[in-house]
Amino acid sequence: MSAFNELMGFTRQTQALAQVSGRLGWDQETTMPRGAAEQRAEEMAAMETVLHARRVDPQVGDWLSAVDETALDAVGKAQIRHIRRSYERTAKIPAKLAEDLARLTSRAQGQWAEARAADDFAAFVPVLEQIVTLKREEAAALADGGDLYDALLDDYEPGAKAADLEAMFTALRPGLVGLRAAALSQPAPEGVQGTFDEPAQMKLTRKLAKTFGYDFTHGRVDKAVHPFSSGSGLDVRITTRTNPTDPFNCFYSTIHEVGHACYEQNIDRAYLLTPLGGGVSMGVHESQSRIYENQLGRSRAFTGWLYGQMRDAFGEFGIADEDAFYRAVNRLQNGFIRTEADEVQYNLHVMLRFDLERALIAGDLAVRDLETAWNDRFAADFGFAVDKASHGCLQDVHWSVGLFGYFPTYSLGNVYAGCLHQALRNDVPDLDAALARGDTTPATDWLRDKVQVHGGLYEPRDVITRACGTAPSEAPLLSYLDQKFRDIYGL
Amino acid sequence: MSAFNELMGFTRQTQALAQVSGRLGWDQETTMPRGAAEQRAEEMAAMETVLHARRVDPQVGDWLSAVDETALDAVGKAQIRHIRRSYERTAKIPAKLAEDLARLTSRAQGQWAEARAADDFAAFVPVLEQIVTLKREEAAALADGGDLYDALLDDYEPGAKAADLEAMFTALRPGLVGLRAAALSQPAPEGVQGTFDEPAQMKLTRKLAKTFGYDFTHGRVDKAVHPFSSGSGLDVRITTRTNPTDPFNCFYSTIHEVGHACYEQNIDRAYLLTPLGGGVSMGVHESQSRIYENQLGRSRAFTGWLYGQMRDAFGEFGIADEDAFYRAVNRLQNGFIRTEADEVQYNLHVMLRFDLERALIAGDLAVRDLETAWNDRFAADFGFAVDKASHGCLQDVHWSVGLFGYFPTYSLGNVYAGCLHQALRNDVPDLDAALARGDTTPATDWLRDKVQVHGGLYEPRDVITRACGTAPSEAPLLSYLDQKFRDIYGL
């Protein structure tokens, strides 16, 4: 067992260094003095050099060859599966390509931000062309003659296939389109009014984090421009933001990030600083953040409790009762921006990106034609025209940093959340009674035991199948949305 | 020049990684969730493994052999001097010894904290015995047959010798002993009264940091249990603490750390992330913190301005006027604790430690006899008995983490501050007029240009000699203290 132990020791150190690198990212978004960026870039690059050298270290290959897998238990086998997948994947990418991509995408993020600020997609075309070219090269190196997009997708959702995702979106599309049209044809529910004191928002947001099981002895909540969750194991930090006229932005960002963070905090401690010690895929991660945020956090029962909390914290804000509050939290609105979209429309935004990025990677769509393709598709799907690039194809950072194959995991997460929610309701029939008094534990304990504790032990899809007792499908999400929004809109 | 450039590229990355490691230390003391300690220890250890491997990397030796020093300018030669010193020093210490020491001192810090909390020196004896044994081994490996203590001292104050420090302390001692006795025989000046609002303390402490030239675009001030300064170059953070009844603790800790931080912030940007890009020695570092804190911050002129600031911030606090405030800031008090000592008594505390640790390293004092030796010496020097170990030989963390040879650099810093202060007053005769209106720039600009900007370019003692135009001596410090405290106490 010596090769296994040595490999695990080395891997543990690599995981620890990766946590350090992640912590630097957190620091950069929350506490770093603004004049430190240039030095921080060198610090991050030095960490990346160290991590890359460890990931391609031939020692790892030697250990992997020497390990006797038949002598390992299920946990040991899963560790080796993760280490082997990562090692083989990295080994397939020529060092020069990896370096070129790292340099290009590190520069491109700033160029994207400038182009977005200027609403000037043309300025970003040459950069994005280079990125797509290199990502296609990377995909070809990884694909072994198989589908290019699948090869990229595998980085975020191991085992997932574009054809299956296409089938998923095809199944979701008619229901979502119909529900959207029906709801938007009705009078819009009232929204909240007035301004909401920012310290009071932060105070309630911390209470909400606690309510959803976030462990403050192993985390903290800070303000940042974008909400995110960072870290695994014993130190998982989240950020949120405040908007004086839109308190839901703060509260539901927090609940969403708490879903991600609780997944990382609740993984079996025996897996700490190993490949099993983090969330298993982007899709499963998003299933946790979305079920916390939507199926639990925006439920009639929980919003009833939240209404009382908000009345205590802010007094009157133009909403007469719990039912009106539930409608305000869940109202549909036309909008350009994915991250601000409601539960019904969110996946329509993702579909659009999935189809376009698949075409880019397949070589069926040229980068210079992307803006037109986006705008045409948006008008067709949403019924109104994109007015500027920052409301259209420049709105998301993903492509500028080389994330192709990432977007569909958001919808996969929503589908998984729908499955988990159905199974949860079957197992805990009186869930609403607890949620109505601000007690999420029947749900969060269930998710912890069924999903979170396993970390990377099972393959992503298997985690959901084991938790639900049946293979994932789109039906539970569609049926949940249909019921919820027909009720809200009296359809 | 290729060997030089490659060596500098490698060194730059190592420096960047060392900054990352330092930032983790800052995070641990300021923002880390308390449950994260176990994971953080693994993260720090992984960083240390990476840094150690780079420090002993034989490539560095090859590059050093290949560099043609005659082709380098003064800056290049200084870089090579630092890199060579560090490489040769590290290479002399057997890997096994380095590892044993790292493990032992990492554990010992907690054991020291426990022993101190229990006032139980005997419980700490076995640990400290092991540390002294290993430090003596380390010193022997480094000393090449020379003085053991000098070999350790060299880590903190390159080029310094224990015999010279002994001469320094011998020169300081009579003057300090006499001044102390004379002052303490007089009626004690009045202290401040009442409580001081903590947010108002933090607000004024930030103003003081700015007043002394601390650059908030490249730093930040947070609260921590112990005040410290962390980082070099573009990201230099300080911490302070508040005590509701003793505002000077906060303000003068801040000014002290600002002295350290401004040194790091003001080094020539061309040296960023190189061996020249940090303070050159502990002694020179302490000269900056002490001259900011004492010769400037506790001067009659500056305290006159500070009195007005404190009256504005806190109203009445039992001090009638600027002269009484000056006496309150500078009053002598009997006490056990080095870090709380006034300017006159501080160096007596250091002398005691210097003599004892030299005897420990020489093998002339056994660890089991340390407490008695400390208490006897303390009673002789200060005229009253140590009541418990936490007030005596367990008060400082240094020995538990293996810092032998560090203490005397505090006094060396005070002596250097005395020299710099004398030269500064000669160059800027109207300094007090500026200080009296809260303008430190004539002093801090002078220190920046004469000392701070050079970073590691010159040897420590040479930095002071160049700044002052004459070799350092104890006379300016003694004469400054004598004049100041004879005036305050009407001697």
Side-chain angles (χ1 to χ4, degrees), chain A residues 212 252 255 291-299 302-303 306:
Chain A
F212 274 89
Y252 285 99
I255 299 174
I291 195 171
Y292 278 55
E293 176 190 356
N294 290 332
Q295 280 88 351
L296 303 175
R298 294 190 211 265
S299 65
F302 186 79
T303 55
L306 180 59

Side-chain angles (χ1 to χ4, degrees), chain A residues 249-269:
Chain A
N249 193 318
C250 176
F251 300 149
Y252 285 99
S253 293
T254 296
I255 299 174
H256 181 96
E257 299 309 331
V258 162
H260 285 302
C262 285
Y263 187 6
E264 296 290 340
Q265 286 185 333
N266 287 335
I267 294 170
D268 192 330
R269 285 284 153 82

Side-chain angles (χ1 to χ4, degrees), chain A residues 281-342:
Chain A
S281 75
M282 295 301 149
V284 177
H285 239 301
E286 194 73 6
S287 77
Q288 301 306 292
S289 57
R290 296 294 274 186
I291 195 171
Y292 278 55
E293 176 190 356
N294 290 332
Q295 280 88 351
L296 303 175
R298 294 190 211 265
S299 65
R300 173 63 185 80
F302 186 79
T303 55
W305 178 80
L306 180 59
Y307 179 65
Q309 297 294 311
M310 282 187 60
R311 287 294 294 260
D312 290 349
F314 305 109
E316 280 287 346
F317 46 86
I319 302 288
D321 58 28
E322 290 184 9
D323 284 325
F325 184 77
Y326 175 55
R327 288 194 296 272
V329 165
N330 286 289
R331 68 181 182 156
L332 266 63
Q333 282 182 297
N334 276 321
F336 298 107
I337 305 297
R338 172 185 59 84
T339 58
E340 297 169 2
D342 50 75

Side-chain angles (χ1 to χ4, degrees), chain B residues 270-330:
Chain B
Y271 306 160
L272 190 70
L273 296 177
T274 75
L276 304 193
V280 72
S281 75
M282 295 300 149
V284 177
H285 238 302
E286 194 72 6
S287 77
Q288 301 305 292
S289 57
R290 295 295 274 186
I291 195 171
Y292 277 55
E293 176 190 356
N294 291 331
Q295 281 89 349
L296 302 175
R298 294 190 211 265
S299 66
R300 172 62 185 81
F302 186 79
T303 55
W305 178 80
L306 180 59
Y307 179 65
Q309 297 294 312
M310 282 186 59
R311 287 295 293 262
D312 291 349
F314 305 108
E316 280 286 346
F317 46 87
I319 301 289
D321 58 27
E322 292 185 8
D323 284 325
F325 184 76
Y326 176 54
R327 288 194 296 271
V329 166
N330 286 288

Side-chain angles (χ1 to χ4, degrees), chain A residues 12-13 17 19 27 31-36 39 42-43 47 49 217-220 232 234-235 237 272, chain B residues 12-13 17 19 27 31-36 39 42-43 47 49 217-220 232 234-235 237 272:
Chain A
R12 217 176 149 79
Q13 274 196 335
L17 294 168
Q19 288 296 312
D27 182 87
T31 55
M32 188 181 82
R34 65 188 160 81
Q39 179 170 327
E42 293 221 36
E43 292 167 6
M47 289 299 296
T49 303
T217 65
H218 296 110
R220 49 182 289 137
S232 292
L234 306 184
D235 192 350
R237 306 181 187 184
L272 190 69
Chain B
R12 216 176 149 80
Q13 274 195 335
L17 295 168
Q19 288 295 311
D27 182 86
T31 54
M32 188 181 83
R34 64 187 161 78
Q39 178 169 328
E42 292 220 37
E43 292 168 5
M47 288 300 294
T49 302
T217 64
H218 296 110
R220 50 182 290 137
S232 292
L234 306 184
D235 193 350
R237 305 181 187 185
L272 190 70

Side-chain angles (χ1 to χ4, degrees), chain B residues 166-232:
Chain B
E166 189 182 333
M168 173 185 85
F169 284 121
T170 304
L172 288 175
R173 191 178 176 85
L176 297 182
V177 167
L179 194 54
R180 174 181 179 276
L184 287 175
S185 70
Q186 298 297 314
E190 301 244 20
V192 297
Q193 277 159 21
T195 59
F196 297 80
D197 178 55
E198 303 213 355
Q201 286 194 41
M202 287 303 290
K203 193 176 166 199
L204 182 50
T205 225
R206 288 198 165 85
K207 184 170 185 180
L208 285 170
K210 226 181 164 77
T211 297
F212 275 88
Y214 182 64
D215 175 1
F216 278 87
T217 64
H218 296 110
R220 50 182 290 137
V221 178
D222 293 271
K223 279 173 69 173
V225 175
H226 302 288
F228 65 90
S229 165
S230 156
S232 292

